[in-house]
Amino acid sequence: PEDELTRRVKSIISNVQREDVGPVEMAEALQALLDEDERVKTQDDLAKLIGKDKTWVSGMLRILSLPTPLQAKVGSTQQSVSYDSMIRVARLDNPAEQTTLIDQLLSGASQKAIRQQINHLKGKPTEAAPKPKKVYHTAHKATIIVQSETVALSQERVVAALQEALAQARKNAA
């Protein structure tokens, strides 16, 4: 008969594959394996045992560094919270920022929105909005693109830019 530890390992492996266990519960189960299974001495051993990479295991265990009230809040919700988002939040050092992001996650914020918020908090550039542009296809099989360096691209600015470009083209042709 299988011992309790072996059954727990198989259960965790099964749950990791399905990702239907909440991130806090998963992190606690991984930590329990690390603490109780003599075969698992390092995070690398744990990663090999469950078929995940060490970075994932390390990130999941980092969730346990979140303040206890935040862990409880996430652990008791019916809302599905992605492992990736929780790992990213746990990597932040500021409990107030963590709380804000957890609240957003529990309100249904997407992984992408959380990623962008974290990048903003870390001072990383966010994905730039596409610059407005107008595209003109001519009878001469040429495409003329007027693209703004700012957000506003009025019709007057398009005409002025085209006139300026035309003047430069005439000057260069002379």
Side-chain angles (χ1 to χ4, degrees), residues 5-25:
L5 209 47
T6 303
R7 277 196 302 278
R8 194 172 342 158
V9 168
K10 286 182 177 179
S11 172
I12 288 172
I13 292 168
S14 170
N15 288 334
V16 163
Q17 302 308 323
R18 289 196 320 263
E19 290 194 18
D20 62 352
V21 173
V24 174
E25 186 181 351

